[in-house]
Amino acid sequence: MTESARLHTRRVFFALWPPSEVLETLDALADRIAKICGGRRTRRESLHMTLVFVGAVTQEQLDRLLAIGGLIQGGAFAMNIDRLGYWPHNRIAWAGCSEMPSCQRRLYDSLSANLHGQGFQLEKRPFVPHITLARKARCGDLPILEQPIRWSAAEFALVESLPQPAERQYLSLASWPLRTAVDKKICKEC
Ligand code: 2AM
């Protein structure tokens, strides 16, 4: 990347935004976890689940990402957010699923394959779908989620991470529907 291109990069990722009723529950959960673990809770409007983190891209690459998003034939799926976790290395407290729905795995695989095919370098770490609830947290034992949070994913989005004075802000650049089994014979099991 040239110096001029580097100066004009934008930091982006593919993600799922929670539907309003799920957002409500995650918002309350983020409050609860920050009270237990300290740190800075994720703002309500920033609660999301990353599908694939892409990183800094040029305008030309951004255009290619938008084209890739439109090509993906993903199936709608439902997740059970049923566990809380803590990563000591980056001090993130999060919520996630014990089991990843097969449609989510396929969506991730399909996005990754298309991105690789277009020359994007992706994370080598295994994909751990999660919602960051608090940063700079210090968690000991985490509570058990009494009731799983059922999240029906009907679309995915390309999101830009914008640096703000206090905290990064996430802005949806485009979103695409995930089809239901009725629309198309894909992911009937989800
Ligand atoms: P995090 O919440 O666990 O930090 C925007 O930064 C989104 O992309 C967040 O969901 C963040 O996960 C994720 N993200 C940031 N850097 C990443 C990286 N290098 N690899 C994977 N995901 C990343």
Side-chain angles (χ1 to χ4, degrees):
M1 204 185 282
T2 65
E3 192 51 32
S4 142
R6 205 184 303 281
L7 286 172
H8 294 95
T9 59
R10 296 161 73 176
R11 188 180 153 99
V12 296
F13 56 99
F14 287 97
L16 301 172
W17 288 112
S20 56
E21 69 285 359
V22 176
L23 179 60
E24 204 65 45
T25 313
L26 289 174
D27 189 42
L29 188 58
D31 252 356
R32 184 175 162 205
I33 293 305
K35 281 196 183 100
I36 298 171
C37 301
R40 194 184 69 228
R41 61 149 290 176
T42 306
R43 285 180 304 189
R44 181 186 172 93
E45 64 272 24
S46 297
L47 288 162
H48 69 279
M49 181 182 276
T50 292
L51 282 169
V52 180
F53 181 75
V54 183
V57 294
T58 61
Q59 183 59 49
E60 185 270 330
Q61 288 174 311
L62 186 57
D63 291 340
R64 276 194 279 145
L65 292 175
L66 291 166
I68 289 172
L71 284 176
I72 301 294
Q73 299 268 310
F77 58 90
M79 296 176 273
N80 276 326
I81 310 294
D82 59 357
R83 60 185 288 231
L84 296 171
Y86 176 62
W87 289 320
H89 70 279
N90 55 10
R91 293 177 54 195
I92 280 182
W94 50 272
C97 311
S98 310
E99 253 180 75
M100 194 189 315
S102 58
C103 276
Q104 186 176 19
R105 165 59 65 187
R106 275 186 241 176
L107 178 57
Y108 169 78
D109 287 346
S110 167
L111 275 168
S112 303
N114 275 278
L115 292 165
H116 273 302
Q118 292 274 332
F120 289 94
Q121 302 278 322
L122 302 179
E123 273 286 302
K124 298 222 166 27
R125 283 184 296 182
F127 174 46
V128 182
H130 67 281
I131 303 121
T132 294
L133 298 174
R135 293 178 193 278
K136 300 194 173 157
R138 283 196 194 282
C139 303
D141 286 341
L142 283 164
I144 304 276
L145 276 185
E146 298 85 20
Q147 220 173 351
I149 305 164
R150 183 90 171 154
W151 174 338
S152 295
E155 60 174 32
F156 70 101
L158 182 65
V159 180
E160 180 167 9
S161 172
L162 298 161
Q164 298 293 309
E167 201 175 320
R168 296 193 82 87
Q169 203 183 22
Y170 303 131
L171 176 74
S172 237
L173 299 176
S175 62
W176 299 271
L178 294 167
R179 300 185 202 188
T180 60
V182 179
D183 293 336
K184 194 133 201 227
K185 295 253 175 300
I186 41 177
C187 285
K188 269 196 292 194
E189 75 276 26
C190 294

